[in-house]
Amino acid sequence: MLAARGALHMAMGQFQHAVDDYTACGRTLAALNVVNSTVIPWRSRAAFGALAVQRYDLALALAEDELIAARKWGSARGVGAALHAVAIARRGESSVPLLEEAVQLLDLGQARTELMQALYDLGTLQVERKDVAGGRSRLEAAGAVARECGNAYWAERVRLGLARLSGPDNGRTLTRQEIKIAQLARAGYSNQRIAETLFLAVRTVEFHLSSVYRKLAISGRRELATALGSVAA
């Protein structure tokens, strides 16, 4: 139940609540002496939530602990999912090779949901590193897996990601104010709290967020964590 609620919080952009739920899930599993990380990979899921609220050290620690635990059991799916989390948490020179290995293992383990997410992040990261052709290829592969699984949300997310590659760069440039507001929204702040933090009217926050979504070709807060990084950088 805690893992399911954590997933719901992630989908709703309530990332700190997701981290709290996944951490509580981990404590419950430990109390029940469940040590196989593939039963519920709570650490890697919590790591993505921690990244969204900019708790980078926590995210990396969780992801690396998950990888150690997953390698003890040797499941292709478990190791692949953990490698995905480690790659995103590190965001360094090793991230692309780690994601490529994650994709191979997730494909081998027939973990279709995890595979399309890893492909999406790999494609997005390759685009950030100026490998647009490689990134496009990975995004297209992610879209194919999403359609194969009948996952409309991820199919649309990939479509929007590909659309961003075709759009004019100057039309996607965010202003400093838009970046500040988008970063707070990504961290789980409500429009009211963003307004109070930046001393703005709520309607001004709403206006800027609408502009951010349009420029990034995304549908809402759930996609900010991925889309914001490449454009703001």
Side-chain angles (χ1 to χ4, degrees), residues 75-87:
S75 161
R77 180 175 192 164
V79 175
L83 283 169
H84 180 191
V86 169

Side-chain angles (χ1 to χ4, degrees), residues 47-123:
F48 286 112
L51 284 171
V53 294
Q54 301 179 19
R55 299 179 64 184
Y56 303 116
D57 290 343
L58 174 62
L60 184 57
L62 286 165
E64 291 183 338
D65 283 350
E66 183 91 323
L67 182 57
I68 292 170
R71 281 177 168 158
K72 288 181 180 178
W73 295 93
S75 161
R77 180 175 192 164
V79 175
L83 283 169
H84 180 191
V86 169
I88 299 303
R90 286 182 181 173
R91 299 295 282 191
E93 292 301 317
S94 64
S95 292
V96 168
L98 286 172
L99 276 170
E100 288 174 339
E101 184 180 355
V103 164
Q104 292 175 357
L105 288 171
L106 292 169
D107 191 20
L108 179 64
Q110 299 182 340
R112 311 308 285 169
T113 298
E114 292 89 344
L115 174 61
M116 67 185 175
Q117 294 173 4
L119 281 167
Y120 181 90
D121 283 343
L122 175 55

Side-chain angles (χ1 to χ4, degrees), residues 119-133:
L119 281 167
Y120 181 90
D121 283 343
L122 175 55
T124 301
L125 188 57
Q126 286 178 303
V127 170
E128 287 182 29
R129 304 287 171 84
K130 309 305 181 183
D131 180 8
V132 176

Side-chain angles (χ1 to χ4, degrees), residues 185 208-221 224:
H208 283 304
L209 278 177
S210 295
S211 177
V212 169
Y213 301 155
R214 175 180 54 79
K215 288 181 178 181
L216 300 185
I218 61 177
S219 57
R221 292 174 184 245
L224 279 174

